[in-house]
């Protein structure tokens, strides 16, 4: 069989056997992460479901994956706790033999005008969203196998600059910066790093605390005239994680129905 070559004639790097691929999904108990667990399990990945405290939902995610014929386990790990996250990766390696894909969906949001935000809320938010992302991608940088992918989560609000989103958007700006540098630091490893930046998506994080009028106003904003669904976003993640999406690297993918 001929060795596949690039246009300049050099051999492309050989890929190790990729079956079954193993994915860690932080925030896998609910929302976008939960949908991603099911999507990746349906693609044949063995999945480790990371969660903060919602054990019932994490176990339900595992059951859904198993009901679809997939393999999954749930591991509790606060993403900002480096020991817990190291144990999460240890569990993936012990149970499934390694890590190919890390989807870091865990995150929190708190909205308030900058003039009014309690700084304790700022610290808490940034602990999860910035420190948590750093801790997770640090382990990913050390452990993801060749051919793999790291997917983090930003938000389209980094570009949209909605009032009230200052602390949250700042934390996600940090995620974008970190992810793009990670992609460059992974040179030679054959591992991609990209951020997905959803627009308004129908999950607890978006819906909680909003009245119907606000939800309807935001749903009407994209040209596609609806909220995103967790499935819309899970499809993007699954593509970025897959060999088919491997040429996309060091990008922020604004998955938002065209909202401006
Ligand atoms: N929904 C949107 O409109 C939207 C838009 C742009 C970006 N995003 C981003 O997309 C990602 C997923 O959001 P979502 O809407 O799916 O949120 P969600 O429905 O509120 O789910 C959040 C998930 O993150 C986990 N989590 C929260 N804090 C954690 C921590 N410290 N350690 C470990 N896990 C933690 C939760 O675990 P438990 O179940 O155990 O609490 C849960 O599984 C987030 O990064 C969010 O910022 C969302």
């Amino acid at each position: 069989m001929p060795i596949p070559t690039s246009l300049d004639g050099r051999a492309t790097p050989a890929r190790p056997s990729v079956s079954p691929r193993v994915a860690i999904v932080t925030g896998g108990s609910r929302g976008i992460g939960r949908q991603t667990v099911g999507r990746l399990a349906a693609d044949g990945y063995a999945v480790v479901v990371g969660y903060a405290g919602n054990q019932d939902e994490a176990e339900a995610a595992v059951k859904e994956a198993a009901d679809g014929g997939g393999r999954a386990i749930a591991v509790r790990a606060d993403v900002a706790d480096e020991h817990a996250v190291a144990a999460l990766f240890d569990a993936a390696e012990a149970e499934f033999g390694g890590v190919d894909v890390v989807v870091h969906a865990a995150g929190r949001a708190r909205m308030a005008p900058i003039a009014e935000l309690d700084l304790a809320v700022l610290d808490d938010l940034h602990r999860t969203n910035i420190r948590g992302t750093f801790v997770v991608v640090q382990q990913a940088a050390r452990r993801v196998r060749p051919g793999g992918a790291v997917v983090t989560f930003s938000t389209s609000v980094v570009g949209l600059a909605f009032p009230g989103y200052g602390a949250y958007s700042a934390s996600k700006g940090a995620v974008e910066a970190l992810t793009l540098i990670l992609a460059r630091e992974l040179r030679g490893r054959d591992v991609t790093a990209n951020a997905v930046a959803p627009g308004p998506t129908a999950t607890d994080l978006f819906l909680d605390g909003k009245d119907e009028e606000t939800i309807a106003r935001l749903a009407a904003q994209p040209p596609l005239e609806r909220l995103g669904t967790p499935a819309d976003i899970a499809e993007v993640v699954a593509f970025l994680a897959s060999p088919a999406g491997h040429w996309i690297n060091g990008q922020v993918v604004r998955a938002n129905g065209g909202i401006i």
Side-chain angles (χ1 to χ4, degrees):
M1 193 173 148
I3 298 169
T5 56
S6 57
L7 285 178
D8 65 4
R10 288 184 303 178
T12 51
R15 291 265 170 79
S17 169
V18 291
S19 182
R21 279 160 66 95
V22 179
I24 292 174
V25 181
T26 71
S29 48
R30 289 187 289 124
I32 292 166
R34 169 78 162 266
Q35 190 78 30
T36 302
V37 168
R39 181 65 178 75
L40 294 181
D43 271 357
Y45 288 78
V47 185
V48 179
V49 179
Y51 67 102
N54 215 325
Q55 189 177 346
D56 290 348
E57 294 293 342
E59 285 174 359
V62 167
K63 184 171 182 310
E64 282 165 14
D67 288 348
R71 297 167 70 202
I73 58 169
V75 177
R76 182 176 184 159
D78 173 1
V79 290
D81 176 340
E82 60 269 42
H83 305 293
V85 171
L88 174 71
F89 279 73
D90 288 347
E93 291 174 343
E95 190 75 19
F96 298 127
V99 181
D100 301 291
V101 167
V102 175
V103 179
H104 175 47
R108 295 195 189 282
R110 291 288 293 274
M111 314 310 170
I114 292 165
E116 293 165 21
L117 188 84
D118 181 340
L119 292 180
V121 172
L122 177 80
D123 291 345
D124 184 53
L125 193 61
H126 287 194
R127 183 174 190 279
T128 297
N129 290 1
I130 300 179
R131 189 178 208 281
T133 301
F134 202 102
V135 167
V136 170
V137 304
Q138 184 172 62
Q139 287 296 328
R142 293 172 182 170
R143 305 209 207 190
V144 171
R145 296 187 287 209
V150 181
V151 181
T152 61
F153 274 83
S154 178
T155 169
S156 288
V157 173
V158 170
L160 296 167
F162 290 155
Y165 284 69
Y168 176 64
S169 186
S171 74
K172 294 301 189 174
V175 170
E176 291 189 12
L178 190 55
T179 304
L180 302 193
I181 289 172
L182 178 69
R184 284 145 187 77
E185 290 185 357
L186 289 171
R187 174 179 292 275
R189 293 274 304 280
D190 194 25
V191 175
T192 64
N194 294 287
V196 175
T201 306
T203 68
D204 295 344
L205 180 143
F206 171 76
L207 297 169
D208 283 357
K210 290 193 176 71
D211 57 36
E212 284 189 14
E213 190 189 331
T214 305
I215 293 168
R217 181 171 47 76
L218 288 165
Q221 252 176 288
L224 297 184
E225 294 190 314
R226 63 172 177 81
L227 293 177
T229 65
D232 289 325
I233 309 303
E235 288 297 328
V236 176
V237 173
F239 178 67
L240 292 173
S242 72
H246 204 62
W247 196 235
I248 300 174
N249 189 23
Q251 305 297 319
V252 178
V253 180
R254 303 203 184 284
N256 57 29
I259 196 170
I260 48 171

